[in-house]
Amino acid sequence: MLYMRVATVALICALLTIPVAAQEQGFGLTLTLRPGYGGAYRLGEWFPVIVEVANDGRDLRGMLEWSFPGSPGQPVFRHEIDLPRGSRKRVTLDVFAQGFARNGQVRLIENGNVVLEQIIGIDAVEIDRFLVLVVGSDPTLLTSLSAMSVSGTSGTVVRHVSPDDLPSQPLVLRGVNAIFIHDVDTAALSMDQRAALRDWVHLGGQLVVGGGINGERAAAGLADMLPVETTRTLDQGDLSLLEQLTGAPPAPATGPVLAVRPRSGAEALPVDAPLIYRSRLGSGVVVFSAFDLGLLRGWSAEPRLWSRVLQPVPLFIPGFDARVNQISMMQDALRLPAIQLPSATMLAVFLMVYILAAGPVNYLALRRLRRLEWAWVTIPLTVAVFTVGVFLAGFGLRGGQAQLLQVAIVQGSEGEPRGVATAYLALFSPIRGSYTLRFPANHLVSETRGFDDFTARPVLATSDDTGVTVPDLLVDVASVRTLVAEGPTMPPVQVQSMVRLDGADPQGEVRNVGSVTLEQAIVVHQGRYLELGTLAPGARAAFDFNGPRGSFPFGVAIGDDRVFNRRQILFRLFNSSSRIAPLSGRSPLDEEGIYVLGWGASSTLPVEMNGRTAAQEGLTLFVIRLRTT
């Protein structure tokens, strides 16, 4: 009885201490979570998860971890965080989902122990739906656009976000089709946010800035992008003219309209009494409405109006298949001798020499010496010599050091100093070993499971304020691990062009005004290409699509180098029948655009390996959209 009483008391004490321990673990910590774009995310694309943590307890240093509970096989993302007592910190985790996920989970981990966790619901936006963000303080503005029908899409999703939550990384915005900015002082946006908006438009985004009474504030930080120059003059405008764009009266009668001066190349809508201005910027579009966007609230034709102004833009996303379908470009493009099997002829010759040495040659030698009994020693010795020889030959062919190889695709626009790069990396190791890779800040790193390597531990990249680290990347003997890193860059190749659009067949001239040579350059338009040759810095070449032209990418005659198959790279990137991308079924390149493609025989992304700058054998493909207006 005494034993039972002691055991009962001990059990009760243990049960009472459990909630106390749990309270001590999370004591003083509060966490606020805002995932995606108002809770929505695009399948297969990077999206932001904003985490705000307040610490009123003890000092803490740990790891924020985002995962998709209930979705096995999804990637996990980590960010180091330092939380002294009394601190308030905001961290943005850039993440993506390979498939449908209904929930996301953030955990704060210290020394392997979960200190705090939170699960939140998230909504997936399919790749064929048009995603619209509304940036402003009015949560009901433009909600009618959810009924907007945009050609080539299955529907529209509208989400509202605050200006503070706009990402500062252009590739985190890539899953968004259009952004409306209303009643926001864009001059208050950070330089990184404004740069991200500009880069996103050049990649194919569509930006709409509202005018009216607060139009000056909305235009202040984006003035160099807009199709107009704003003034401080407000007039009473006739908004009923918008009926010309929709054919659906009645439109609002009048409203304050901001006076503007259209820039060269700006398209005015309606033509006779413009209220909306539109211009091309890179692959994307920038729109300015001279009236306040809120004036159209309640107009039944509001969705139809914006469906006439906005159109789906084909997006060239080199890293999409790598993230979603785990397709490694390196598997087709890399021709590293160290990972290739010996030829059948070489194996046959080796076996023949081995058989002759172990059999007839050994027998004849011992017979000549009259020491046939030595065969007990000479045969094992011959086997040992050949085994060591094979090992040394294989080690020599593979090399004694790990090799890092890179194929980068750099997207840019004529006249723009900034671009974005998608770098495929392959790490080859002659021996089984672990490596730590370090990437620059503001880069997004993921893994592709190429070369049939599905058994290795998945990559668990960790970001901080200074960069992204992939620790303990295990590579097996004579194996390859492949990664993809995406981020903004300053392309060393810049071009200037003079393009004449005579009917449907453009002609003109391209000049290399950058600092590096553009090898095997071609100009591409509507699935056709013309060769420009090699363009050294300062060199120029003319093109004319009225003459003979080849089919792109199948007809491109291009030479390869020792390690990379350039032809396979082009096929993998631009053969639309073999890839899945947002608004699939469209060409990866905009049919209306004119592009210059060329090669640089060097890597683009610097990478550290085991604490040192890694020497890389690299190749870069530049994809530059020419200015046509």
Side-chain angles (χ1 to χ4, degrees):
M1 290 294 293
L2 179 61
Y3 173 80
M4 291 296 295
R5 289 178 182 177
V6 172
T8 302
V9 171
L11 178 60
I12 293 173
C13 292
L15 292 173
L16 289 174
T17 59
I18 290 177
V20 174
Q23 290 172 4
E24 288 177 352
Q25 277 190 324
F27 180 76
L29 290 171
T30 58
L31 184 147
T32 303
L33 186 60
R34 295 193 299 278
Y37 318 107
Y41 71 96
R42 172 81 73 182
L43 280 171
E45 287 294 343
W46 294 94
F47 64 91
V49 175
I50 298 172
V51 184
E52 294 178 351
V53 185
N55 182 18
D56 294 319
R58 60 179 177 80
D59 293 349
L60 186 148
R61 184 178 182 86
M63 192 84 65
L64 281 173
E65 179 185 273
W66 171 270
S67 60
F68 299 93
S71 302
Q74 296 272 26
V76 176
F77 305 87
R78 288 184 161 187
H79 187 97
E80 292 183 355
I81 188 170
D82 188 11
L83 291 168
R85 179 183 177 88
S87 63
R88 304 286 188 273
K89 291 205 172 179
R90 170 185 165 125
V91 172
T92 299
L93 289 164
D94 297 324
V95 307
F96 70 89
Q98 293 173 340
F100 281 95
R102 298 183 180 276
N103 298 294
Q105 180 183 54
V106 162
R107 302 195 302 171
L108 179 57
I109 302 172
E110 182 189 33
N111 298 326
N113 299 316
V114 178
V115 177
L116 194 64
E117 65 181 0
Q118 182 175 333
I119 296 178
I120 192 169
I122 51 178
D123 299 324
V125 179
E126 296 88 345
I127 61 175
D128 61 346
R129 292 177 71 82
F130 200 81
L131 179 57
V132 174
L133 293 192
V134 181
V135 182
S137 58
D138 187 347
T140 64
L141 184 71
L142 297 170
T143 53
S144 68
L145 267 59
S146 58
M148 181 172 65
S149 176
V150 180
S151 174
T153 65
S154 63
T156 301
V157 176
V158 179
R159 293 296 170 127
H160 292 74
V161 297
S162 71
D164 292 340
D165 290 350
L166 274 176
S168 57
Q169 225 285 18
L171 297 179
V172 178
L173 280 171
R174 203 163 201 172
V176 178
N177 297 104
I179 296 177
F180 285 76
I181 294 181
H182 170 259
D183 195 18
V184 169
D185 183 5
T186 56
L189 296 176
S190 70
M191 294 294 293
D192 288 340
Q193 286 177 309
R194 283 182 271 172
L197 280 173
R198 186 179 184 90
D199 292 343
W200 167 75
V201 171
H202 275 275
L203 292 172
Q206 300 181 76
L207 177 65
V208 181
V209 180
I213 296 175
N214 295 311
E216 258 195 292
R217 296 173 64 246
L222 307 172
D224 59 336
M225 300 171 55
L226 299 179
V228 298
E229 295 178 9
T230 60
T231 69
R232 297 184 177 181
T233 304
L234 277 172
D235 299 320
Q236 200 68 10
D238 183 5
L239 301 185
S240 65
L241 296 171
L242 294 174
E243 297 173 6
Q244 299 179 27
L245 300 177
T246 64
T254 60
V257 172
L258 185 65
V260 298
R261 292 186 291 269
R263 290 194 169 109
S264 175
E267 179 187 5
L269 301 170
V271 177
D272 53 350
L275 294 168
I276 298 174
Y277 298 86
R278 180 172 60 184
S279 65
R280 172 78 66 176
L281 190 64
S283 295
V285 175
V286 180
V287 178
F288 185 83
S289 69
F291 55 89
D292 189 306
L293 297 175
L295 293 177
L296 303 185
R297 192 194 313 268
W299 183 31
S300 61
E302 184 180 39
R304 187 181 304 180
L305 169 67
W306 294 115
S307 70
R308 300 291 176 85
V309 176
L310 302 175
Q311 293 297 324
V313 176
L315 299 178
F316 173 44
I317 308 178
F320 188 83
D321 277 347
R323 290 192 300 272
V324 177
N325 302 318
Q326 294 292 287
I327 297 176
S328 172
M329 181 183 298
M330 286 295 194
Q331 192 152 1
D332 294 329
L334 189 61
R335 302 190 303 182
L336 191 62
I339 62 175
Q340 295 178 358
L341 294 175
S343 65
T345 302
M346 183 180 297
L347 288 175
V349 170
F350 172 80
L351 289 174
M352 183 63 67
V353 172
Y354 173 71
I355 291 171
L356 290 175
V361 172
N362 181 64
Y363 173 77
L364 293 175
L366 294 179
R367 183 179 178 182
R368 184 178 182 84
L369 295 174
R370 298 181 180 180
R371 292 289 187 269
L372 291 177
E373 65 276 11
W374 287 4
W376 293 98
V377 176
T378 57
I379 291 178
L381 185 62
T382 301
V383 172
V385 168
F386 270 85
T387 301
V388 173
V390 168
F391 176 81
L392 293 177
F395 190 79
L397 290 174
R398 294 195 302 266
Q401 295 182 341
Q403 300 179 53
L404 190 61
L405 304 104
Q406 178 184 144
V407 171
I409 301 95
V410 174
Q411 298 168 252
S413 300
E414 179 183 351
E416 280 295 308
R418 289 168 53 94
V420 296
T422 302
Y424 282 82
L425 296 110
L427 176 58
F428 168 79
S429 178
I431 60 174
R432 181 180 174 86
S434 295
Y435 303 85
T436 296
L437 301 182
R438 179 77 174 170
F439 298 86
N442 210 22
H443 277 72
L444 311 172
V445 179
S446 56
E447 183 183 24
T448 59
R449 308 301 293 274
F451 295 89
D452 299 325
D453 184 11
F454 292 94
T455 59
R457 295 194 308 267
V459 162
L460 193 61
T462 301
S463 62
D464 56 31
D465 295 336
T466 61
V468 181
T469 301
V470 178
D472 300 325
L473 182 64
L474 179 63
V475 188
D476 212 339
V477 178
S479 295
V480 175
R481 295 291 295 271
T482 54
L483 303 171
V484 179
E486 304 167 80
T489 187
M490 303 290 285
V493 168
Q494 296 287 332
V495 299
Q496 287 181 352
S497 70
M498 272 192 338
V499 179
R500 296 180 297 278
L501 298 173
D502 297 334
D505 297 319
Q507 54 185 297
E509 183 181 81
V510 175
R511 182 186 176 199
N512 182 1
V513 295
S515 59
V516 301
T517 298
L518 200 58
E519 300 177 358
Q520 297 178 311
I522 60 176
V523 58
V524 178
H525 176 61
Q526 293 184 346
R528 302 290 180 178
Y529 83 96
L530 295 172
E531 293 184 1
L532 299 177
T534 296
L535 294 178
R540 62 185 70 203
F543 64 89
D544 186 352
F545 276 88
N546 287 302
R549 51 200 179 177
S551 174
F552 178 80
F554 303 101
V556 178
I558 189 169
D560 296 323
D561 51 30
R562 184 178 63 87
V563 176
F564 302 107
N565 188 326
R566 300 187 181 190
R567 187 179 178 85
Q568 285 296 328
I569 294 173
L570 288 181
F571 284 173
R572 173 64 68 186
L573 290 173
F574 300 106
N575 178 17
S576 58
S577 64
S578 66
R579 55 196 305 275
I580 300 175
L583 303 178
S584 59
R586 296 175 177 268
S587 170
L589 296 181
D590 187 357
E591 292 289 322
E592 297 181 6
I594 304 173
Y595 299 83
V596 168
L597 277 64
W599 304 85
S602 62
S603 59
T604 292
L605 178 67
V607 182
E608 292 183 2
M609 185 164 64
N610 295 338
R612 297 181 179 180
T613 300
Q616 302 181 65
E617 186 153 2
L619 180 69
T620 299
L621 172 64
F622 296 94
V623 182
I624 304 172
R625 180 165 182 150
L626 300 183
R627 185 183 294 142
T628 56
T629 56

